[in-house]
Amino acid sequence: MNDRDLTGGLNPLDIDALVEARHPDPFSQLGLHQTDAGPVVRVLLPNAAGVTIVARDDGRALGALTHIRHGLFIGHVKEAVPYRLRIDWHGTPQEIEDTYSFGNVLSDEALTRLSQGDPYAVLECLGSRPVTIDGVPGVRFAVWAPNARRVSVVGDFNAWDGRRHPMRLRHQAGVWELFVPRVAAGARYKYEMLTRDGHPLPLKADPCAMQTERPPATGSVVAHVDEVEQFPWTDHAWMHSRGGRQTAKSPVSIYEVHAESWLRIAEEGHRGLSWTEMGERLIPYAKSMGFTHLEFMPVAEHPFGGSWGYQPLAQFAPSARFGKPEEFAAFVNRAHEAGLGIILDWVPAHFPNDAHGLIEFDGTPLYEHADPREGYHQDWNTMIYNLGRNEVSAFLVASGLAWLKRYHVDGLRVDAVASMLYRDYSRAAGKWVPNVHGGRENLESIAFLKRLNHEVRHMPDVHGAITIAEESTAWPGVTAPLDQGGLGFDFKWNMGWMHDTLHYMHEDPVYRRYHHHNMTFGMVYAYSERFVLPLSHDEVVHGKGSLLGKMPGDRWQKFANLRAYLAFMWTHPGKKLLFMGGEFGQLAEFNHDQSPHWHLLDDPLHHGTQMLVRDLNHLYDSEPALHVLDSEPGGFEWLIGDDSGNSVFAFRRVDGAGREVVAVCNFTPVPRLGYRVGMPRGGRWSEVLNTDAGVYGGSNVGNGGLIHTEDVASHGKPQSASLVLPPLATIVLRAD
């Protein structure tokens, strides 16, 4: 047999391209091919000592291959039948199916949908997935990289050698695919790519991986997909009822948590808890405190822990810091069984520029804008997604849907929406690119957010999930329905209310009379959106001090101020959100390397604050007047909104069905004896909460639990009550 016969007519240029790992279509050359001289098998196995071809069914020898050059083996076989490679790795045998003996692994139909921007096609096609093809188990890899010259999957299974498993390009979608036999869940991998001009890129993690290595390692991991997608859920009652638990009329009280630092184990190097451990500790705690939901700062995998998750690079993978994806599913299931909803912070606004990530993914600005005026976040040193690109928009929508679909997550809090809506966000004049109409609105981002919310509403077999916008401007209609021109979110964080009221509380009580409007202004726009009142992590970092630290006065006054403020918040229209540590008056700012200072609960004032938050949650949940008409003007009335001289506020909350609650706040350290308040209803009222109660650490000034109105007109009401207003306190009265 001459060399020409041996190579089966293989072009020398093809040989060069194969052994140098730059061939654009390895399937055209490798595997079993018919030639004029009969069937020929070609394999590329660098560093192998020898290769024999055996039949897959009975192991009979079909032929031995000859080493041509640099790991390229070629030889004739007796029969063109399904076969395996019997490889001699210099004394270590291996028998495995040939990757290049398998056909296409993704359907043309699915790829067409992918190219059209179908998020469900992203979930169906991209990433890694254990599959069985022709009775052979292995893993299907697929990645979108339309501008790469060559893409190989590399991992422990091929010694991270990009020559071993170059992928097939499916041109209609720009997707590279490959089935690698005998690889299983748990395998580590990345993608090796050549740019258009043939330069190698840094190894890239899989953007659609469901699992990753634990940081600081950056590899992707083949997940046990079936263990996630076929998880034995036992939360059917919750999933059936949650649609009614997360509406504008529902009590929604959210405990915001940084998962890694909620409770660190000091004896084990201050490590964070696993999902299993959080299920045992965090869920019972949040439930006992009366919260309805847990909201996690982003748990999608992120390389830098100091970003608190806000610089994610694996939008489909729960962070390996806390365990496997199926363990996250088990955590959510456990939370639902306990009656707790799970909300995730989700970040579609930007991504970090780590070399293994999305930046210049295939050698071109693929996920990001090419123009830095559009594609670079100067504030955060991150890249901005090009949401005008079908595939990028579909990728991100698919990520949002994946958390809701795969893991039964109840809601997404969408981070940094304001930065997405405006092209000139935090940019000087001339440093941004106007839209097609010459305006500052980011039309592509607006379309993306509307699409996200549409898809969340119309997920097949998934109902009742919500979206919440962190949006800090006056953009109109953030929570308005899509068919009315709104963005379609269920709720929006009320950043204005938060800033105004915290500014007021920061003032010494002597000067609060001059800032009275900061506590009342929120009601001017309270019904323009459906709001969440957020006392989030953002307010206790970067030198802002803790909630307790913002309060003026001596130690007792600081706690009294905080208690009065929390009760004002819990009785004010809007859903509630409180960051961990705030519930017991954490002294220090949030530090992601440390837990909240739980030992402070040995102190009566800290413990009293915690008891107050628990009682506020239970009152808020059990009293319809405090939540049913949260988003409707008819649910609120100022009784006293203009007494700046005394820094007193009083307001009425109703449920529209006869339930009435009155809250009265005294934001000075001076007790008010005989303070008359016009009451909306005559008769007996119960004092159901007093933040000055001794059990909370207060001075126990109050009304003895019961008041009766008098037929004395006041504040526009025919009846009123003479009240004792404790110092720096809020009392809550309920009509009997």
Side-chain angles (χ1 to χ4, degrees):
M1 183 182 298
N2 58 41
D3 288 345
R4 182 71 176 170
D5 290 337
L6 187 62
T7 59
L10 199 63
N11 191 299
L13 294 176
D14 285 321
I15 294 176
D16 291 342
L18 286 169
V19 300
E20 294 168 12
R22 53 179 177 80
H23 200 287
D25 184 12
F27 276 85
S28 67
Q29 311 299 329
L30 299 178
L32 176 66
H33 293 269
Q34 291 290 348
T35 70
D36 293 342
V40 168
V41 173
R42 310 182 188 116
V43 299
L44 186 64
L45 295 167
N47 303 315
V51 183
T52 301
I53 306 300
V54 300
R56 194 186 298 174
D57 56 0
D58 61 3
R60 65 186 183 281
L62 299 176
L65 306 189
T66 301
H67 184 236
I68 302 299
R69 177 154 55 99
H70 299 308
L72 180 63
F73 291 82
I74 302 178
H76 291 285
V77 292
K78 298 175 183 177
E79 306 170 64
V81 297
Y83 63 93
R84 292 164 64 88
L85 308 176
R86 187 171 289 163
I87 309 166
D88 174 13
W89 296 104
H90 296 276
T92 301
Q94 181 189 22
E95 192 167 305
I96 192 170
E97 290 78 10
D98 183 3
T99 293
Y100 299 94
S101 67
F102 295 89
N104 295 347
V105 294
L106 297 173
S107 71
D108 288 331
E109 181 270 339
L111 289 170
T112 298
R113 288 191 287 114
L114 187 66
S115 66
Q116 294 170 345
D118 180 353
Y120 290 96
V122 175
L123 297 176
E124 184 180 332
C125 294
L126 299 184
S128 60
R129 178 178 290 265
V131 295
T132 298
I133 297 179
D134 297 339
V136 179
V139 173
R140 185 195 76 193
F141 298 92
V143 62
W144 179 59
N147 303 305
R149 177 180 287 189
R150 187 261 299 169
V151 181
S152 296
V153 59
V154 296
D156 294 329
F157 47 86
N158 61 15
W160 300 86
D161 188 337
R163 297 171 294 176
R164 291 271 303 276
H165 288 111
M167 305 174 78
R168 173 195 281 118
L169 174 61
R170 304 295 299 278
H171 290 270
Q172 69 263 49
V175 170
W176 299 77
E177 63 169 27
L178 198 68
F179 173 70
V180 182
R182 305 296 169 178
V183 175
R188 301 185 304 148
Y189 71 100
K190 283 185 176 180
Y191 294 113
E192 182 183 282
M193 302 191 198
L194 297 183
T195 65
R196 284 172 173 165
D197 57 5
H199 289 97
L201 290 167
L203 295 184
K204 295 288 189 176
D206 189 341
C208 295
M210 288 176 59
Q211 188 175 345
T212 69
E213 290 186 281
R214 182 173 180 138
T218 58
S220 303
V221 175
V222 178
H224 290 271
V225 176
D226 285 349
E227 292 190 18
V228 173
E229 294 187 345
Q230 298 174 25
F231 183 83
W233 294 98
T234 55
D235 64 347
H236 313 297
W238 170 272
M239 295 297 285
H240 182 72
S241 66
R242 74 173 178 183
R245 297 171 180 256
Q246 315 186 128
T247 70
K249 294 182 179 294
S250 310
V252 176
S253 182
I254 303 166
Y255 186 47
E256 186 192 25
V257 170
H258 179 243
E260 192 169 15
S261 64
W262 180 75
L263 183 62
R264 292 187 177 274
I265 308 299
E267 301 78 14
E268 299 179 32
H270 292 277
R271 70 167 179 84
L273 301 182
S274 67
W275 289 121
T276 302
E277 292 168 323
M278 278 188 270
E280 295 167 350
R281 305 287 294 273
L282 174 57
I283 289 172
Y285 175 75
K287 186 66 178 176
S288 71
M289 286 294 294
F291 290 102
T292 64
H293 288 71
L294 285 168
E295 179 175 315
F296 286 106
M297 295 162 73
V299 298
E301 193 62 90
H302 48 283
F304 176 47
S307 76
W308 314 328
Y310 289 99
Q311 295 189 8
L313 270 181
Q315 289 278 23
F316 296 80
S319 176
R321 294 169 173 85
F322 316 117
K324 298 177 180 178
E326 53 268 31
E327 291 170 333
F328 175 62
F331 173 86
V332 176
N333 190 60
R334 190 166 184 171
H336 287 172
E337 289 186 323
L340 277 173
I342 301 295
I343 299 167
L344 297 186
D345 239 335
W346 182 67
V347 189
H350 62 126
F351 61 88
N353 54 15
D354 299 62
H356 72 278
L358 300 179
I359 187 168
E360 295 192 344
F361 186 74
D362 62 359
T364 66
L366 189 65
Y367 285 89
E368 70 274 28
H369 292 273
D371 189 333
R373 296 175 299 169
E374 297 181 277
Y376 177 68
H377 251 311
Q378 53 195 12
D379 293 359
W380 305 322
N381 189 32
T382 53
M383 312 310 294
I384 301 170
Y385 287 105
N386 181 0
L387 294 172
R389 189 160 191 167
N390 266 348
E391 295 92 343
V392 176
S393 175
F395 163 80
L396 284 170
V397 171
S399 164
L401 298 180
W403 294 105
L404 305 175
K405 183 177 174 66
R406 289 171 175 164
Y407 299 107
H408 285 201
V409 165
D410 302 291
L412 301 175
R413 179 267 194 187
V414 184
D415 181 61
V417 170
S419 77
M420 301 174 69
L421 292 174
Y422 301 97
R423 286 178 160 268
D424 63 345
Y425 181 87
S426 194
R427 295 185 187 274
K431 301 295 185 182
W432 56 281
V433 179
N435 63 33
V436 291
H437 305 297
R440 60 196 286 255
E441 299 82 8
N442 193 320
L443 303 178
E444 294 81 8
S445 290
I446 295 166
F448 164 78
L449 293 168
K450 288 183 176 183
R451 185 182 185 194
L452 169 72
N453 288 320
H454 173 82
E455 294 289 354
V456 170
R457 297 287 177 282
H458 296 92
M459 294 182 67
D461 305 319
V462 178
H463 308 287
I466 61 171
T467 56
I468 304 168
E470 188 222 8
E471 203 286 304
S472 55
T473 75
W475 184 278
V478 172
T479 59
L482 295 170
D483 59 9
Q484 296 178 20
L487 296 182
F489 286 92
D490 292 278
F491 297 100
K492 167 181 166 170
W493 275 22
N494 195 337
M495 314 290 278
W497 177 92
M498 176 273 297
H499 284 297
D500 286 349
T501 58
L502 282 178
H503 179 77
Y504 177 90
M505 296 304 301
H506 185 71
E507 295 290 335
D508 187 286
V510 171
Y511 303 112
R512 283 177 176 166
R513 64 177 59 195
Y514 307 114
H515 302 274
H516 199 77
H517 64 282
N518 282 332
M519 297 296 271
T520 60
F521 183 67
M523 291 311 302
V524 173
Y525 60 87
Y527 306 109
S528 61
E529 305 278 5
R530 294 185 296 276
F531 283 120
V532 173
L533 309 181
L535 293 179
S536 74
H537 68 276
D538 277 328
E539 313 325 311
V540 292
V541 290
H542 303 319
K544 296 178 184 177
S546 65
L547 286 182
L548 185 68
K550 299 179 195 298
M551 304 295 139
D554 59 26
R555 186 168 185 268
W556 188 91
Q557 290 177 336
K558 283 180 178 292
F559 278 96
N561 270 300
L562 180 59
R563 294 194 304 268
Y565 177 54
L566 289 170
F568 172 80
M569 171 180 170
W570 253 257
T571 52
H572 192 283
K575 310 310 177 188
K576 324 302 174 189
L577 180 141
L578 185 63
F579 182 58
M580 65 182 198
E583 76 272 24
F584 61 84
Q586 164 93 0
L587 289 168
E589 288 192 339
F590 167 51
N591 179 348
H592 67 275
D593 289 325
Q594 298 179 1
S595 298
H597 296 169
W598 296 106
H599 65 276
L600 294 173
L601 288 170
D602 293 334
D603 181 288
L605 286 175
H606 290 282
H607 185 249
T609 304
Q610 184 192 46
M611 291 179 65
L612 173 68
V613 171
R614 180 199 65 192
D615 290 352
L616 282 170
N617 273 329
H618 290 308
L619 178 64
Y620 171 65
D621 181 75
S622 63
E623 182 48 66
L626 290 177
H627 61 255
V628 169
L629 298 183
D630 248 349
S631 300
E632 298 177 37
F636 177 91
E637 179 189 10
W638 282 115
L639 299 174
I640 303 173
D642 58 356
D643 189 2
S644 59
N646 290 309
S647 297
V648 170
F649 304 85
F651 50 88
R652 170 194 185 213
R653 300 292 308 278
V654 301
D655 70 345
R659 305 278 296 188
E660 300 217 25
V661 166
V662 167
V664 188
C665 311
N666 174 18
F667 284 112
T668 67
V670 180
R672 310 283 177 192
L673 307 179
Y675 189 96
R676 188 162 294 277
V677 178
M679 299 296 285
R681 177 185 298 186
R684 189 174 73 172
W685 291 70
S686 297
E687 191 177 49
V688 293
L689 188 132
N690 178 354
T691 66
D692 193 51
V695 70
Y696 302 140
S699 57
N700 242 1
V701 174
N703 300 276
L706 200 65
I707 67 155
H708 290 85
T709 63
E710 302 169 279
D711 291 329
V712 177
S714 185
H715 302 107
K717 304 295 183 185
Q719 61 280 319
S720 60
S722 177
L723 301 178
V724 175
L725 303 187
L728 296 172
T730 295
I731 62 172
V732 183
L733 309 170
R734 181 172 62 207
D736 287 345

